[in-house]
Amino acid sequence: MLKYILRRLILAVPVLLGVSVLSFFIISLAPGDFLDYYRLNPSISAEQVQTLERQFGFDKPIVVQYFKWLGQVLKGNFGYSFVYHIPVFNLVWRRLGATLLLSISTMIFTWGIAIPLGIYSALHQYSFSDQAFSFFAFIGISIPNFFFALLWLFMAAKTGWFPIGGIISLNYDQLSFWGKIGDYLWHVIGPVVTLGTSGLAGLMRQMRGQLLDQLRQDYVLFARAKGMPESNVIYKHALRNAINPIVTMFGYSLSGLLGGAVLTETVFGWPGMGRLVIEALTSQDLFLVMATLLLSSLLLIIGNLIADMLLAWVDPRIRFRLR
């Protein structure tokens, strides 16, 4: 297992390198750069603009700019943010915690509800509860995240039950330990429900379909014919085979949460990576954009690795191959 993990981590290096090459050159194809604001400002002379170009390396060819940036990244220096005027690593590190808290909370909400509902719906196929869950699942899949976020904010503003933005209250520092946890949960419930609704609905339908497919297999009929208890047939045999495709989706959901959080964090004013990506793109903050893209790619690689390890845990055949 350790050799497999090391091999996957080594293979991740050329993947990240390829992502950095494509991202850097695609971003460079966009018209203009961050210094256009200074070029259009009549109070800033051309000599000052040229000094800034030399400082940030914009006077060099794109290839030279890339290898200069890559050399600094290999030394642990991800560059300097043009907008925030601080090192990119420090800026990303500050925002990463808020996004990870939101993403982990969303995954617990989504997977903790979707899997049991999917199993229940499969075991009670065509019942009233199954049809009700399917009805609400289709609604959840159909509503875009940003529209659901606007509906939630409208409800929160009208009722006052939930905050309409931010991550903590103004009196957060005066609260007790449990009060701080409660304050965070009060603020996070809106973004979590918004971000997790579509994923919950899709995951529930996937779990239901996979389990129904396994319950129709010959090995399930054979186990029932032998007189095996129904709970063993379902949870020990059918469910273990049905969960494999669901576990595979985990790797993509980890990175997908970062992408889906862009709109959600913007609407809710959540100080995470999503808002940072939008601000970096609109201001053409090259080094900040590159850092966020590499981070998203790294999360996708880590998520897929964790998914493969979980598959090895639930499926003995895959575990044998990993060894």
Side-chain angles (χ1 to χ4, degrees), residues 34 50 71 77 86 141 152 154 164 168 181 208 221 302 307:
F34 174 75
Q50 292 175 358
N77 179 18
I86 60 175
I141 295 173
W152 182 277
F154 179 79
I164 58 174
I168 55 176
I181 295 179
R208 177 184 182 276
L221 298 177
I302 294 175

Side-chain angles (χ1 to χ4, degrees), residues 103 107 111 248-258 300 304:
S103 299
M107 293 190 70
W111 289 71
T248 305
M249 297 171 58
F250 175 83
Y252 299 99
S253 64
L254 185 62
S255 177
L257 282 175
L258 180 59
L300 180 60
N304 285 329

Side-chain angles (χ1 to χ4, degrees), residues 6-284:
L6 291 175
R7 186 168 66 249
R8 288 288 297 270
L9 293 176
I10 293 173
L11 291 175
V13 175
V15 173
L16 291 175
L17 186 63
V19 169
S20 68
V21 171
L22 290 176
S23 302
F24 195 93
F25 283 94
I26 290 175
I27 295 172
S28 300
L29 292 176
D33 53 43
F34 174 75
L35 296 179
D36 284 346
Y37 170 79
Y38 297 97
R39 295 189 183 97
L40 297 175
N41 192 337
S43 62
I44 299 178
S45 64
E47 290 77 12
Q48 291 176 309
V49 174
Q50 292 175 358
T51 302
L52 292 174
E53 288 178 347
R54 288 191 297 270
Q55 178 182 347
F56 295 119
F58 290 158
D59 59 332
K60 302 290 193 305
I62 295 178
V63 176
V64 177
Q65 292 182 39
Y66 170 76
F67 281 105
K68 183 179 179 181
W69 171 82
L70 182 61
Q72 293 298 318
V73 169
L74 294 177
K75 297 177 182 178
N77 179 18
F78 288 85
Y80 194 81
S81 173
F82 307 145
V83 177
Y84 294 93
H85 305 292
I86 60 175
V88 169
F89 180 83
N90 295 344
L91 181 59
V92 171
W93 183 256
R94 292 178 186 175
R95 299 291 189 95
L96 183 60
T99 294
L100 287 179
L101 285 174
L102 177 59
S103 299
I104 292 173
S105 302
T106 302
M107 293 190 70
I108 294 174
F109 169 79
T110 301
W111 289 71
I113 297 178
I115 299 299
L117 287 184
I119 295 172
Y120 181 86
S121 296
L123 298 180
H124 300 80
Q125 188 180 16
Y126 302 135
S127 65
F128 175 78
S129 56
D130 176 38
Q131 294 179 3
F133 289 146
S134 299
F135 174 76
F136 286 109
F138 286 127
I139 293 179
I141 295 173
S142 303
I143 299 178
N145 282 345
F146 74 91
F147 183 70
F148 193 88
L150 294 176
L151 292 178
W152 182 277
L153 288 180
F154 179 79
M155 182 272 294
K158 286 293 184 179
T159 62
W161 294 345
F162 302 99
I164 58 174
I167 186 172
I168 55 176
S169 300
L170 294 176
N171 62 336
Y172 179 82
D173 293 333
Q174 285 75 41
L175 298 175
S176 64
F177 173 77
W178 294 109
K180 291 179 179 179
I181 295 179
D183 184 71
Y184 167 75
L185 294 176
W186 186 51
H187 282 79
V188 80
I189 187 171
V192 163
V193 173
T194 300
L195 193 58
T197 299
S198 60
L200 187 155
L203 189 61
M204 188 202 78
R205 296 294 300 174
Q206 287 280 349
M207 185 71 254
R208 177 184 182 276
Q210 291 294 333
L211 184 55
L212 285 175
D213 183 63
Q214 292 299 321
L215 290 174
R216 298 189 182 101
Q217 298 298 317
D218 292 339
Y219 74 89
V220 174
L221 298 177
F222 180 73
R224 285 171 172 167
K226 288 176 61 179
M228 184 177 293
E230 187 68 11
S231 59
N232 288 351
V233 173
I234 295 174
Y235 298 106
K236 188 176 180 180
H237 296 284
L239 182 59
R240 289 194 67 177
N241 288 308
I243 202 73
N244 286 1
I246 309 301
V247 172
T248 305
M249 297 171 58
F250 175 83
Y252 299 99
S253 64
L254 185 62
S255 177
L257 282 175
L258 180 59
V262 172
L263 294 176
T264 304
E265 289 182 1
T266 302
V267 174
F268 282 94
W270 190 269
M273 292 291 297
R275 292 182 64 191
L276 190 64
V277 170
I278 293 295
E279 294 166 0
L281 288 172
T282 53
S283 60
Q284 293 184 306

